[in-house]
Amino acid sequence: MAQFTLYHASPSRSSIVMWMLEEVGQPYDMKLIKLSAGDSLKPDFLAINPMGKVPALKHGDVVITEVAAICAYLADEFPDKKLNVPVGTPRRGEYFKWLFFGPSVFEPAMTDRAFPRKEDPRAASLGWRDFDTVLDIVRKAVVKGPFLMGEQFTAADIVIGSGLRYGIMFKLVPERKEFQDYVARIAARPAAQRAEAKDKDIAAKAA
Ligand SMILES: N[C@@H](CCC(=O)N[C@@H](CS)C(=O)NCC(=O)O)C(=O)O
């Protein structure tokens, strides 16, 4: 039995964690959760993640949920892979900024764009700005390249880059060259390709 078990619905946000697991190169077992069959809301899975959402990653007796938390955890767990910015390095602050920016700013702003509200909430009470402003912040960060932290590819690229990939796929992020170039750079990584191939294989078997 591998030390990690990924609860995965293919394709979904848990595909991002699969990519991260491929980056750290650790063996992992996979438990497939079929969202269309309501698996995520069944008691067995609710015992793993009471929110009934994938991904969840089991490491020994510990269950970790939330994409960005899992990516940060794995990056710190395997520092030899150089996917984190270590404690004691001032740039860890910027690295953390991007890890948190993904789920707490980029994703909610993109969701607001995808599902506009009937009534605009008070901007000052939201933890994020409008999608165009947020996207421009991401654009300025990726245009310098090659990665968010410069020459070093980190878990933050997996989090923010996956948001961009999905955003482009769902036509929420404009197909601008700077986004496409960055996404192509990270998607070409062997680990990203392995994760994508595994998702294709799962989809083919389910068809
Ligand atoms: N905040 C969570 C979001 C996870 C999430 O929304 N997962 C979706 C799949 S992409 C899910 O499990 N949906 C099933 C459902 O809502 O029943 C994270 O970042 O991990």
Side-chain angles (χ1 to χ4, degrees), residues 39-163:
D39 286 357
S40 60
L41 296 172
K42 289 181 182 161
D44 279 4
F45 184 67
L46 289 175
I48 300 290
N49 183 3
M51 197 165 74
K53 298 246 178 205
V54 291
L57 184 74
K58 212 164 170 208
H59 185 194
D61 292 334
V62 175
V63 173
I64 316 150
T65 61
E66 298 301 315
V67 168
I70 300 171
C71 290
Y73 177 84
L74 288 171
D76 282 350
E77 202 68 7
F78 301 99
D80 58 308
K81 300 296 173 192
K82 302 210 177 319
L83 295 164
N84 70 346
V85 177
V87 174
T89 313
R91 292 199 78 207
R92 185 166 165 92
E94 191 185 350
Y95 162 69
F96 262 27
K97 186 274 290 289
W98 286 119
L99 279 173
F100 285 72
F101 195 90
S104 61
V105 177
F106 187 31
E107 196 177 314
M110 188 148 53
T111 306
D112 278 351
R113 174 59 54 89
F115 305 105
R117 302 169 197 228
K118 284 200 184 105
E119 205 177 310
D120 281 339
R122 232 164 46 92
S125 62
L126 292 182
W128 55 95
R129 291 284 174 207
D130 63 280
F131 186 52
D132 292 332
T133 302
V134 169
L135 195 58
D136 200 48
I137 293 170
V138 174
R139 187 188 65 76
K140 285 185 180 125
V142 299
V143 78
K144 285 180 282 165
F147 305 114
L148 287 171
M149 297 303 297
E151 291 302 317
Q152 185 193 1
F153 175 86
T154 67
D157 290 293
I158 296 187
V159 171
I160 297 288
S162 297

